[in-house]
Amino acid sequence: MLSIILVISGSVILGRTNDGYWILYSGLFLATIFSITSIIDVFRSKTMNQGRKSLWLIMVICVPVLGGLLYYVIHMGKEGKNVISTPDYEETS
């Protein structure tokens, strides 16, 4: 989300000052890092079958930032609900 804000504000400021380039490039850099981590997370997911992974990869690659946001909101939200917490210790009698 921050990368989108930086890209838009950098584009607006671009014509007025030289700082617009730094803001624009930092937003693009953050968007690239976010997209790469989204792709890595899709590959590492153990809860999805290959068909679902393929669909998420297409979404993340074709629409980089929005696809990554959707992946984290939809898939990671479901994955967090399926986790059952257990105590770190065992009781002995």
Side-chain angles (χ1 to χ4, degrees):
M1 198 67 174
L2 177 65
S3 62
I4 295 171
I5 294 169
L6 288 174
V7 169
I8 291 171
S9 61
S11 299
V12 170
I13 298 173
L14 191 62
R16 299 179 187 153
T17 65
N18 289 335
D19 294 334
Y21 287 109
W22 290 104
I23 296 171
L24 179 67
Y25 292 148
S26 62
L28 292 173
F29 177 74
L30 288 175
T32 303
I33 297 298
F34 179 72
S35 297
I36 290 170
T37 56
S38 299
I39 291 169
I40 291 170
D41 283 345
V42 170
F43 274 119
R44 286 185 171 179
S45 176
K46 296 182 190 304
T47 60
M48 288 191 291
N49 60 16
Q50 292 300 325
R52 188 170 280 186
K53 278 186 182 183
S54 299
L55 289 174
W56 276 116
L57 282 173
I58 290 169
M59 182 70 158
V60 170
I61 291 171
C62 291
V63 189
V65 176
L66 183 62
L69 283 173
L70 286 174
Y71 172 73
Y72 284 115
V73 168
I74 294 171
H75 179 71
M76 299 304 269
K78 288 180 184 177
E79 192 172 278
K81 291 178 184 176
N82 294 334
V83 174
I84 299 172
S85 62
T86 57
D88 293 336
Y89 61 91
E90 291 183 23
E91 291 185 29
T92 57
S93 2

